[in-house]
Amino acid sequence: MTWQDDTDAALDDAAHRYARERYEFSARLRLSTAERRFNAAAWRDMAEMGWLSVATPEAHGGFGVRAASIALLSETAGRSLINEPLIGMGILAPFVVAHHASGAQREMLLPPMLAGELRVACVLGDGNFRVSEGRLSGRCEVVLDADIAARFLIEAAGTLWLVEAEAPGVTVASYPLLDGRGAATVTLEHASCTSLGSSDASAVHMATALHLAALATAADSLGAMRAAFELTLEHLKTRRQFGAPLGVNQSLQHRAVDIYVRIAESRAVVNQAVASVQAESPYAARDAHAAKSFVCESARQALQDAVQLSGGIGITEEYAISHYLRRVRVNEQLHGSAEEHLRAFALAPSSFH
């Protein structure tokens, strides 16, 4: 791809090798639910490999805001069913801190965040928070990764606020998501907070942060879809019925082709979004919205077909396809639903006249 460079290729190659060794599916099944949710050693490994530095400018200790790397790493995460919080805490939170914090705050926050030592969960425009006498109150029902966060980055009254997860007045009710990742309902009652930076949150940077998260989520679903398709093809080639492989059935072949077409279309949409975001195109927002809306919906449809093509085994806990289906279903709702992004796509500036 023309939008990839040597750094992208190196990160992608290392990510694939690491994921194959660390996230082999049968080995993951033997882990406890908590171990599958988050592994601190794996998170530090990702930090050392640079996964958490791809959305932070070089001036602040990162590799730059690299849309191609973000997409490639997210695709690997989806393919390998990685539950560590790459998108929320490795991409979204560092980007927001790098672009909104004061110099002193960046020096305090970014090094431990990029090293995998400080985990910050973001609540951007999703909660009902208010500021009174320098303290925050309010509630957000679904805060992705809040179950493992040490701090929260909350948008309220046009400003970003830092809140300690264990501060007085902060209640975190954790729960698992359908696919094994985690979230929590966060309630603040006159909780102590610190404003991030000295001015109001920049609408441009906040929008870019959400576009990166949307693109990363779409790439994650693309990775899950590709992996499930490979398993489906293997099943159709090896599972025999009436003395012949299932794959000789023409109707099953047609359904497999439908999945392949969805993958090819999704790849094209993700590539377009990456190219636009990386080039800072005036149509970057439109293309990011298109990726989130189109790819996540296509992935859900493809995974439903893959489950049916796999027969009864497709819905079992011991078979990876059921896990991929759950992942893409969760991805549909993260960082804006398909319907929300479709509406935003329709309203975004277009190159067509």
Side-chain angles (χ1 to χ4, degrees):
M1 304 296 177
T2 56
W3 39 263
Q4 292 184 28
D5 60 17
D6 290 343
T7 299
D8 299 322
L11 283 167
D12 188 38
D13 180 64
H16 274 88
R17 285 188 281 107
Y18 182 78
R20 281 196 301 269
E21 296 169 3
R22 183 90 191 197
Y23 291 92
E24 197 274 324
F25 181 71
S26 61
R28 294 276 285 173
L29 283 180
R30 295 192 291 270
L31 300 176
S32 68
T33 301
E35 289 173 320
R36 278 189 244 173
R37 164 59 184 120
F38 180 77
N39 184 295
W43 188 239
R44 288 192 296 271
D45 289 343
M46 293 174 190
E48 290 177 4
M49 290 185 291
W51 295 22
L52 314 187
S53 300
V54 294
T56 304
E58 293 181 43
H60 304 318
F63 291 166
V65 181
R66 308 182 60 85
S69 294
I70 288 170
L72 291 168
L73 293 173
S74 298
E75 187 173 337
T76 296
R79 181 182 187 86
S80 302
L81 297 169
I82 293 173
N83 288 337
E84 278 69 37
L86 177 63
I87 297 176
M89 294 183 174
I91 295 170
L92 185 57
F95 180 90
V96 172
V97 170
H99 287 85
H100 292 279
S102 67
Q105 287 173 328
R106 282 196 296 264
E107 291 178 8
M108 176 184 69
L109 296 171
L110 279 176
M113 290 173 69
L114 300 185
E117 298 167 356
L118 174 62
R119 299 192 295 274
V120 179
C122 294
V123 188
L124 304 179
D126 295 325
N128 180 26
F129 295 96
R130 60 191 181 278
V131 184
S132 176
E133 300 176 353
R135 292 178 176 268
L136 271 178
S137 297
R139 178 184 179 92
C140 187
E141 295 290 341
V142 182
V143 180
L144 182 65
D145 303 322
D147 57 318
I148 56 173
R151 295 185 187 181
F152 300 118
L153 189 55
I154 297 174
E155 184 179 4
T159 301
L160 292 165
W161 305 88
L162 277 171
V163 178
E164 297 285 343
E166 297 185 355
V170 179
T171 302
V172 180
S174 301
Y175 50 83
L177 297 178
L178 180 65
D179 64 344
R181 286 178 283 184
T185 296
V186 176
T187 304
L188 305 184
E189 295 182 5
H190 213 54
S192 176
C193 58
T194 303
S195 63
L196 193 73
S198 57
S199 60
D200 290 347
S202 163
V204 173
H205 286 145
M206 293 300 292
T208 301
L210 295 175
H211 296 156
L212 290 175
L215 172 59
T217 307
D220 187 292
S221 286
L222 175 59
M225 184 167 34
R226 288 185 59 206
F229 180 60
E230 292 169 9
L231 288 173
T232 301
L233 286 185
E234 184 65 21
H235 177 77
L236 294 177
K237 291 176 182 177
T238 58
R239 183 81 167 92
R240 301 181 69 83
Q241 190 176 60
F242 305 117
L246 285 175
V248 302
N249 185 301
Q250 194 171 57
S251 65
L252 299 185
Q253 291 176 9
H254 289 167
R255 295 191 70 179
V257 169
D258 287 342
I259 299 175
Y260 176 82
V261 171
R262 292 188 192 280
I263 292 172
E265 291 173 337
S266 296
R267 168 66 68 196
V269 173
V270 168
N271 286 352
Q272 175 62 37
V274 168
S276 290
V277 172
Q278 195 139 294
E280 298 182 354
S281 163
Y283 310 114
R286 178 205 64 184
D287 293 337
H289 291 309
K292 180 61 171 68
S293 177
F294 181 83
V295 177
C296 288
E297 188 169 344
S298 293
R300 189 234 322 142
Q301 294 169 340
L303 261 296
Q304 289 172 339
D305 285 343
V307 167
Q308 292 180 9
L309 288 172
S310 300
I313 194 175
I315 61 173
T316 63
E317 181 73 14
E318 293 75 20
Y319 197 52
I321 282 184
S322 68
H323 295 258
Y324 288 122
L325 174 60
R326 282 176 256 172
R327 189 173 185 97
V328 300
R329 289 292 285 168
V330 170
N331 280 348
E332 274 193 291
Q333 301 304 317
L334 297 182
H335 307 297
S337 67
E339 183 178 349
E340 291 169 334
H341 281 281
L342 184 59
R343 287 199 299 266
F345 169 80
L347 295 172
S350 173
S351 56
F352 301 101
H353 301 286

